[in-house]
Amino acid sequence: MSLQFSNTTTKGGIIQQIERNCGFNDGDISGNTLRLAQFTADVNSALDDALSTIFTAGGTWQFDDANHTDYPIITTNLVAGQRDYTFTEDENANLILDIYKLLVMDESGVYQEVDPVDAQMRNNNKTNVDSLTDGQDTQGIVKRYDMTATGIFLDLNPSYSQTAGIKAYVNREGSYFATTDTTKKPGIDGLCHEYLALVPSYKYARNQSLPSVKRLEKDIFEMEMRLKDRYGRRERDIIRRITPNQENNK
């Protein structure tokens, strides 16, 4: 069952579950400004934990918080003579966690996918990174990029400019809750919403040495397994094949 952030009428919200898990009276969190702010921060932290599990389990299926109103695709202008570009936030100030695909527009206006490389790798027959490290700023058609810290570095210096000439497919942070939220639901699988109540409940029970700590810890583990199972099955369109071990057939 999906859960709203707070529902003081049906008592079925995330905050109300935390109240019951921790032995509070009805309204002890939702009706207390300081306590509500503290537990809202813990719920948002639990959302981060859930996303970390989801990103790991998701495989080739790309997750994005359902509360975001746009797709996890960002663009920036390609500028002639500029090789490095910073990607820290999307257009709505959501933190970028990872870039998993990058495209650069050519002079004809067509996006071309470029390959990621590590500029700190030693040169070998398969990966030559000289154009990223030799300081020559050679002009040409961009084929590869290196990602360092919050920036990307193109292997060659673009000789032309294009509006929205760089397109990145990204993972980004979730859509967090505010203390004033009520009907908003977590942007993850509805069958896993309880996770956002269990983690804050466990932290409180642990800090207060409540007897419910072990039970809550067990419930969190089971919910994490559910997250992995639910999101590990999202690649329904991928045909899986069993490949014989060639080493054993020799």
Side-chain angles (χ1 to χ4, degrees):
M1 179 180 70
S2 62
L3 299 176
Q4 296 178 358
F5 179 64
S6 181
N7 192 321
T8 57
T9 301
T10 67
K11 313 303 179 185
I14 291 172
I15 293 299
Q16 286 68 44
Q17 283 207 3
I18 296 173
E19 287 177 338
R20 292 193 293 274
N21 289 341
C22 297
F24 288 113
N25 293 320
D26 181 30
D28 278 356
I29 297 177
S30 61
N32 183 299
T33 302
L34 175 59
R35 199 171 285 148
L36 179 59
Q38 292 171 334
F39 277 101
T40 299
D42 284 344
V43 169
N44 287 331
S45 178
L47 178 60
D48 283 340
D49 293 341
L51 296 189
S52 179
T53 300
I54 290 169
F55 290 147
T56 301
T60 59
W61 181 83
Q62 188 198 1
F63 169 84
D64 193 48
D65 191 306
N67 286 311
H68 289 313
T69 57
D70 58 352
Y71 292 108
I73 303 171
I74 58 177
T75 61
T76 192
N77 294 334
L78 181 69
V79 180
Q82 180 177 334
R83 296 180 65 179
D84 61 296
Y85 300 82
T86 301
F87 288 91
T88 55
E89 297 179 339
D90 66 8
E91 288 84 350
N92 296 309
N94 296 299
L95 182 67
I96 300 302
L97 303 176
D98 191 22
I99 296 173
Y100 73 95
K101 186 174 184 178
L102 192 77
L103 301 97
V104 175
M105 188 180 291
D106 61 25
E107 291 185 273
S108 66
V110 178
Y111 283 111
Q112 304 290 344
E113 184 174 356
V114 292
D115 297 323
V117 295
D118 185 356
Q120 299 182 55
M121 290 179 59
R122 292 184 177 180
N123 291 355
N124 55 52
N125 292 332
K126 295 182 179 179
T127 306
N128 187 307
V129 296
D130 284 349
S131 60
L132 284 159
T133 59
D134 59 15
Q136 298 305 300
D137 287 334
T138 305
Q139 292 188 355
I141 299 173
V142 177
K143 295 292 185 182
R144 301 176 301 169
Y145 73 98
D146 172 63
M147 186 163 56
T148 300
T150 59
I152 62 167
F153 295 80
L154 305 179
D155 65 338
L156 296 174
N157 200 349
S159 58
Y160 59 94
S161 298
Q162 288 282 21
T163 302
I166 299 178
K167 179 188 293 186
Y169 291 75
V170 302
N171 286 330
R172 55 186 172 177
E173 64 185 354
S175 175
Y176 297 117
F177 293 100
T179 57
T180 53
D181 282 324
T182 53
T183 59
K184 181 178 178 178
K185 297 181 179 182
I188 64 175
D189 191 312
L191 296 180
C192 302
H193 284 180
E194 188 181 356
Y195 182 81
L196 272 64
L198 289 172
V199 173
S201 299
Y202 167 76
K203 289 181 177 179
Y204 180 84
R206 179 196 60 197
N207 294 340
Q208 300 299 318
S209 300
L210 299 182
S212 57
V213 169
K214 291 296 183 182
R215 174 183 59 81
L216 290 168
E217 189 173 30
K218 178 176 179 293
D219 290 345
I220 288 173
F221 175 78
E222 292 177 350
M223 189 57 67
E224 287 175 345
M225 293 301 101
R226 179 180 292 182
L227 276 166
K228 293 177 182 178
D229 179 67
R230 297 288 295 175
Y231 284 96
R233 295 172 180 267
R234 293 299 175 100
E235 299 172 82
R236 299 281 176 120
D237 58 337
I238 303 297
I239 300 175
R240 303 188 183 278
R241 295 181 175 86
I242 298 176
T243 304
N245 190 323
Q246 300 297 326
E247 195 70 29
N248 293 336
N249 293 335
K250 291 181 180 180

